[in-house]
Amino acid sequence: MAEPPIYAVALPVPLRKTFDYLAWDPLFPGPIALPGCRVQVSFGNQQLTGVITSVKQSSELPASQLKAILQLLDQQPLVPTEVLQLCQWTAHYYHHPLGDVLATALPVQLRQGAAARLVEESAWRLTDAGRHCSPAELARAPRQQELLAQLQALQTEAHHDALPLWHKDLLASGIKRPQLQALADKGLLQELQLSPAQLAADLPPLPPLREPHLPLNSEQQLALRQVEPGRFQCHLLYGTTGSGKTEVYLQAIDKVLAAGQQALVLIPEIGLTPQTLRRFQQRFQRPMAILHSGLNDSERQQAWLLAAQGLADIIIGTRSAIFTPLPRGGIIIVDEEHDGSFKQQDGLRYSARDLAAVRCQQLGIPLLLGSATPSLESYHNARSGRYQMLPLTQRAGGAQPPAMETIDIRGLPLQDGFSEPLLEHMRSHLQQGNQVLAFLNRRGYAPTLMCHDCGWMAQCPACDARLTVHQHPSHLHCHHCDYQRPLLQQCPNCRSYQLQPLGQGTERAEQRLQALFPDIPVVRVDRDTTRRKNAMEEIVSRVHQGEPCILLGTQMLAKGHHFPDVTLVAILDVDGGLFSTDFRGPERMGQLLLQVAGRAGRADKPGSVLIQTHLADHPLLQTLLHQGYSTYADILLQERQTASLPPFRYMALLRAESSRPENAHGALLQARQWLEQRPDSRELQCLGPLPAPMEKRNDRYRYQLQLQSPNRAHLHLALQQLIPQMDQSALAKRVRWSVDVDPQDMT
Ligand code: ADP
Ligand code: ZN
Ligand code: ZN
C-alpha cells in the first residue's frame, strides 16, 4: 500500500520554512489535495489558516510527530500554480517567510479562511411589460416615468434587452430602492439575486468598446506595434505627461482582450487618479475588477475572485494587485513605474514593478512600464537593451511642453516663502483669468516651533525629528511616529512667550495667499485636506470648472491629474532635493519637479514653470531644466557608476532597531563579522553598521548595514547563509531586524 501523502503547509508565522502535516482524516486520506488549497491546522496552541505548497511522500519528522490537517478549505486550489510560483520566487528573492508572502497575496478574508465564493448581489431587470411600456403611460407619476425611461435607456445602451442592472450601480447613480420597488409593484421591474458568475454566463457577446479608440500618432503606433500578445518583453513607454501613454495602454489592452486574455494594470494610488480609472471604464465594455485600499474587505475579496475566476477581463489595482491570479493573463501594465508606492516599505519589502517583470517572464507575456520620468533602474535597462525603449516625444493633441525657469532668491525678502518676482508672475496669470499651481512639499503650518529668546525648538520626545506646527486643529505633530501634543504658549526652556513657527508648510502658505489674493479662491491639497473620501475628486472637479484659482499643495499634486487651465506652476523650494543624504535624492527631486510641471497647460494655453531656489547655478538643476530628463538621467547614471551604486551594484540593507542602541549596533556588527569570515567575502562590500539617517524613531534606535555586490547571485547567497545565523543569534533575538533587498528608501 502506498504511504499516505504528507502536506507541506505555509503558515503566516515569522519562520522561514513550511510545516508538514498529515491528511485531515488518516483513516480516509481521500482524494489528494493539490498545492494552492487552503487548510486549517493547529500550530502550537493556535489554529491557523495556511496554504499547501507541496505534496510529498515523506517527511524529515517521523509520522508519529506529525499532526493531521484539521480541515481542507478548498476543493480546487485557490492559489493557482503560477501565483504560488510567484510567491515562492518572492520569498526566495526578498528572503521573507513564504507564509507571510502568501498572506500578502491573499485578501484578508480569504487569508483568514473565508469561503472562496462570489456572493450574490441584488440586481434589477425590466420585465417584458417593462420593456414595452411607454413611459408616457406613467404620466401621473413623473418620478417613476423618468426612472422607467432611464432604465430603458440603460438597457439599450448595454445592447441587451434583458441585461440585469446591479442595485449598487443604480444606487450610485442616485436611484433609491422605493422608486425601484414602485415599478416592481406595477410588474414592470423584477429584482434578482445574482452572482457575478451567473451574470457573466448570461451575457451575450458585447462589443468590447463603449467609445472608439483615438487614431494614434506615428510614435504611438510604433509603440503599440511592439507590444505582442503571447511574447515576453519588457517595454518602457517613455513620454512626457500628456504624450499619450494612456492611449497606448488602452489599445494594448484591446489587443490582448482580442486574444481572449486578461490585462492587469498597476497604478500608484487610485484615490489620486480617479480620472485614469474613468478612462478605462469609459473605453471598455468589459467586466473589470478594481482592487484598491478604499474597498472594504468583502468588496476586495469579490474583486479578487472575479479576477481569479476569469470573470474580469481588466484588473486595475495598486501594489498588492500584482499577486492577483490571472487564469488568462495577457499583459501587465505599470503606470508611473517610477513611483515609490510600488515598493512596500515594511514587512515584505517587495517591489511590485520588479515582480511584474518576473511574472510576465513566467507567463510569457509583455510588460509595459510607462513614465515621463522613469526610474534610473528601468531607464538603464532600456538604454542597455534589456528592455525595449518606446519613446513618445510629442504631446498628443499638440500641447506644448512648459517653459521652465528659475528665480534666484538669494537675498530677496520672502513673504512666508513667496518672493516678489514669483508673486508678480502669479498675479499676472490670475489677472488673465488663468489658474496657478503652487507647489510646496511640506504639510502643516510650519516645520517647527522655535523660541525667539533662547533658540529652543519643539522636538519629538520619541524621534530625532522636530514637531510640525499645525493650525487646523491647532497642535504639534510628529510626522514620523504620530506623537501629538497641544501647541505650547511658553518656552519650556526659558519661560519666554516668544514662540514662533519656523519655516513654512502648506497651511501657512495658504493663509498668506488668502491675504495676498483676497478675491481668488485658494485650494489646498495635502494629506490633511484630502483625508475624507472623494475629497480629491471634489477638488479636481472644482478646479476643472476653470475659474481662476490658486491650487496649493504637496506632492499629491504631482500625481495623475491634469489641470488644463493652470498656466503657471510655481515651485517654492527645490533645494532640499539637491542635498539629500539619500543617494536617490537627486533622482527623486528631478522626477517630482517634472511631474509637477507636467500637470499644467494644454494646446491653446501653454504652461510655464518658475522655480525658486538659492542654487540657481547648480549644474544638475540647469541640466534638468534646459536639457531634459534623458540628459539628467544619463548624468545621474554616470555618477552612480562612478560611485558603484545601483543599478550598477546590487544592494541589500540589513536594518536593526532596539530601545538599546548598543544591541542594534551589536547585532549588525556580528552579522558583518559572519559575512567577512565567508571564504569568498571579497565579492561583497559591507558598509556599516551605521546609525540610520534618522537614528531614533518611535523610541527605537535604528542602525543599518549596507551590503553591496557586483554579482546578484553572490549577494543572495551571502544573505541566504547569513539569515539562519541571525535567526540563531541571541543578540539578534533582542532586536527587531529586517532585510531589505533593492532598498528604495535609505532613511
Ligand atoms: P499620458 O498618459 O502620457 O499623460 P494621455 O494618453 O492621457 O497621455 O493623453 C493626453 C491627452 O491627449 C488626452 O486628452 C488624450 O485623450 C489625448 N490623446 C492621446 N493620444 C491622442 C491621439 N493619438 N490623438 C489625439 N489625442 C490624443
Ligand atoms: Zn526659550
Ligand atoms: Zn516622533
Side-chain angles (χ1 to χ4, degrees):
M1 201 179 75
E3 289 293 310
I6 310 278
Y7 294 99
V9 177
L11 293 170
V13 292
L15 296 170
R16 287 162 222 271
K17 59 189 289 249
T18 56
F19 301 88
D20 289 348
Y21 284 87
L22 295 168
W24 42 101
D25 181 350
L27 292 178
F28 178 67
I32 290 178
L34 294 170
C37 289
R38 290 171 305 157
V39 292
Q40 200 91 50
V41 297
S42 66
F43 182 82
N45 50 11
Q46 17 171 6
Q47 270 196 26
L48 295 176
T49 303
V51 175
I52 298 176
T53 58
S54 66
V55 186
K56 316 187 284 189
Q57 286 311 310
S58 61
S59 172
E60 285 163 20
L61 294 172
S64 60
Q65 285 185 25
L66 295 181
K67 293 189 213 168
I69 287 169
L70 299 175
Q71 200 188 347
L72 175 67
L73 297 175
D74 302 306
Q75 300 307 314
Q76 297 296 324
L78 177 70
V79 183
T81 311
E82 177 243 330
V83 175
L84 198 53
Q85 277 170 2
L86 179 70
C87 289
Q88 274 158 339
W89 193 94
T90 305
H92 186 72
Y93 184 78
Y94 292 104
H95 301 273
H96 197 81
L98 177 60
D100 204 49
V101 176
L102 280 157
T104 304
L106 290 173
V108 177
Q109 293 181 330
L110 293 174
R111 184 189 314 165
Q112 292 167 349
R117 209 174 39 229
L118 284 163
V119 294
E120 295 186 340
E121 291 183 52
S122 263
W124 299 84
R125 174 152 55 192
L126 288 173
T127 60
D128 279 342
R131 276 199 297 282
H132 300 117
C133 175
S134 159
E137 289 176 34
L138 296 177
R140 275 186 298 150
R143 302 268 300 277
Q144 290 179 28
Q145 180 183 13
E146 194 189 325
L147 178 59
L148 180 65
Q150 199 180 346
L151 296 176
Q152 286 175 344
L154 278 175
Q155 297 216 313
T156 313
E157 195 183 299
H159 302 277
H160 183 47
D161 275 353
L163 189 74
L165 303 164
W166 292 112
H167 184 66
K168 59 171 188 230
D169 293 345
L170 295 177
L171 279 190
S173 60
I175 297 169
K176 307 238 162 15
R177 176 173 280 279
Q179 298 170 281
L180 294 162
Q181 197 57 51
L183 288 185
D185 293 344
K186 293 201 165 71
L188 302 174
L189 196 60
Q190 181 189 12
E191 185 169 12
L192 312 160
Q193 298 297 324
L194 284 178
S195 91
Q198 284 166 303
L199 180 60
D202 284 355
L203 267 187
L206 293 172
L209 294 186
R210 240 186 256 283
E211 58 171 36
H213 293 309
L214 297 176
L216 298 181
N217 67 31
S218 56
E219 284 178 329
Q220 288 173 315
Q221 279 176 27
L222 201 64
L224 182 66
R225 217 174 301 138
Q226 301 302 321
V227 180
E228 280 179 50
R231 188 170 69 92
F232 169 64
Q233 168 75 50
C234 298
H235 308 275
L236 177 61
L237 190 60
Y238 172 34
T240 55
T241 324
S243 60
K245 295 184 293 296
T246 309
E247 190 59 38
V248 175
Y249 301 155
L250 292 167
Q251 301 198 25
I253 291 175
D254 201 10
K255 262 188 169 177
V256 304
L257 294 186
Q261 297 177 318
Q262 294 169 294
L264 171 63
V265 184
L266 299 184
I267 61 181
E269 256 176 286
I270 287 178
L272 297 181
T273 51
Q275 283 170 325
T276 311
L277 204 59
R278 218 167 304 126
R279 268 174 83 184
F280 283 82
Q281 285 164 333
Q282 268 164 10
R283 183 66 55 89
F284 294 105
Q285 181 145 266
R286 292 291 193 106
M288 289 190 198
I290 295 161
L291 290 144
H292 62 89
S293 53
L295 300 180
N296 66 32
D297 289 346
S298 53
E299 289 168 333
R300 208 179 163 75
Q301 169 172 338
Q302 284 286 104
W304 193 91
L305 287 171
L306 280 178
Q309 297 183 7
L311 297 171
D313 285 336
I314 303 171
I315 296 93
I316 303 180
T318 42
R319 182 175 62 224
S320 65
I322 187 58
F323 294 106
T324 315
L326 303 169
R328 300 178 280 113
I331 190 170
I332 303 181
I333 295 171
V334 183
D335 188 24
E336 308 293 1
E337 66 86 33
H338 64 278
D339 195 278
S341 73
F342 289 121
K343 169 98 182 182
Q344 181 151 302
Q345 301 289 10
D346 53 10
L348 169 59
R349 292 172 159 86
Y350 68 102
S351 157
R353 179 196 63 211
D354 296 349
L355 288 184
V358 173
R359 193 165 182 198
C360 285
Q361 184 164 28
Q362 277 178 6
L363 291 174
I365 61 171
L367 169 67
L368 189 50
L369 304 174
S371 177
T373 53
S375 63
L376 290 188
E377 280 80 2
S378 298
Y379 183 77
H380 177 62
N381 278 329
R383 273 291 165 113
S384 63
R386 256 168 60 94
Y387 290 4
Q388 190 182 37
M389 183 81 88
L390 303 175
L392 299 181
T393 56
Q394 276 120 39
R395 274 199 161 187
Q400 293 298 307
M404 305 180 79
E405 278 170 63
T406 50
I407 296 180
D408 188 345
I409 52 170
R410 277 174 291 190
L412 291 188
L414 298 177
Q415 304 190 50
D416 288 332
F418 294 91
S419 68
E420 192 46 44
L422 185 67
L423 290 168
E424 197 53 51
H425 281 98
M426 291 174 68
R427 241 172 253 132
S428 112
H429 280 257
L430 292 166
Q431 270 160 12
Q432 288 164 31
N434 295 317
Q435 299 176 337
V436 171
L437 186 159
F439 175 72
L440 174 61
N441 205 13
R442 213 178 294 120
R443 69 192 170 98
Y445 185 81
T448 191
L449 189 68
M450 189 190 213
C451 173
H452 184 60
D453 286 331
C454 78
W456 170 90
M457 282 196 248
Q459 180 84 26
C460 174
C463 303
D464 287 334
R466 311 226 185 279
L467 293 172
T468 303
V469 183
H470 282 254
Q471 290 218 316
H472 304 288
S474 152
H475 69 293
L476 292 170
H477 198 149
C478 174
H479 289 178
H480 303 282
C481 72
D482 220 25
Y483 168 87
Q484 302 181 29
R485 57 155 300 153
L487 208 55
L488 293 157
Q489 302 304 325
Q490 198 179 9
C491 173
N493 186 45
C494 75
R495 305 271 147 223
S496 155
Y497 286 90
Q498 299 294 316
L499 291 180
Q500 297 173 352
L502 190 70
Q504 41 274 321
T506 47
E507 282 185 4
R508 189 173 203 171
E510 178 187 30
Q511 264 183 21
R512 173 61 70 167
L513 288 173
Q514 276 166 349
L516 288 167
F517 300 95
D519 306 327
I520 301 283
V522 178
V523 183
R524 175 159 66 91
V525 179
D526 56 28
R527 245 196 297 153
D528 299 310
T529 62
T530 54
R531 227 175 279 277
R532 201 169 38 80
K533 204 176 167 187
N534 297 331
M536 190 70 186
E537 282 215 60
E538 283 160 25
I539 289 173
V540 170
S541 66
R542 178 165 169 209
V543 175
H544 277 188
Q545 285 167 8
E547 294 300 310
C549 71
I550 301 173
L551 194 59
L552 163 73
T554 59
Q555 59 177 337
M556 295 182 94
L557 283 178
K559 297 191 182 185
H561 297 287
H562 191 72
F563 302 106
D565 297 298
V566 167
T567 55
L568 174 64
V569 175
I571 296 180
L572 269 69
D573 174 22
V574 287
D575 297 353
L578 291 167
F579 289 99
S580 162
T581 51
D582 191 328
F583 72 87
R584 287 182 217 271
E587 176 186 359
R588 296 233 181 81
M589 192 272 296
Q591 289 165 344
L592 191 57
L593 205 68
L594 293 186
Q595 292 287 338
V596 179
R599 301 298 119 199
R602 60 171 193 232
D604 58 329
K605 281 187 176 183
S608 62
V609 181
L610 289 174
I611 301 163
Q612 293 192 147
T613 174
H614 292 93
L615 307 161
D617 310 323
H618 196 290
L620 272 179
L621 192 58
Q622 288 301 323
T623 305
L624 181 67
L625 299 189
H626 301 299
Q627 292 170 348
Y629 189 75
S630 299
T631 312
Y632 185 68
D634 287 334
I635 291 176
L636 293 184
L637 277 173
Q638 273 165 20
E639 290 182 2
R640 297 266 189 100
Q641 186 158 27
T642 312
S644 294
L645 285 167
F648 301 94
R649 285 286 187 284
Y650 299 97
M651 190 186 275
L653 205 58
L654 210 57
R655 293 191 174 86
E657 55 175 62
S658 163
S659 53
R660 302 176 57 152
E662 65 278 14
N663 284 354
H665 183 268
L668 293 182
L669 193 61
Q670 196 180 45
R672 180 177 180 147
Q673 283 157 359
W674 270 321
L675 287 168
E676 285 176 344
Q677 281 162 15
R678 299 173 63 252
D680 43 4
S681 62
R682 267 168 302 117
E683 286 217 56
L684 188 75
Q685 285 104 47
C686 297
L687 182 67
L690 292 170
M694 184 184 294
E695 184 177 353
K696 190 172 98 171
R697 188 161 81 192
N698 219 349
D699 275 328
R700 295 174 166 276
Y701 293 85
R702 308 155 70 238
Y703 281 78
Q704 345 184 302
L705 178 64
Q706 191 175 309
L707 310 180
Q708 238 168 257
S709 174
N711 180 331
R712 170 174 278 169
H714 189 87
L715 175 66
H716 279 267
L717 185 64
L719 283 171
Q720 218 176 326
Q721 293 171 349
L722 171 69
I723 286 168
Q725 304 272 20
M726 297 277 289
D727 279 334
Q728 298 299 318
S729 149
L731 194 50
K733 280 198 176 93
R734 271 185 264 150
V735 307
R736 255 193 231 167
W737 61 274
S738 60
V739 186
D740 190 351
V741 177
D742 307 328
Q744 290 293 311
D745 182 356
M746 314 293 288
T747 56

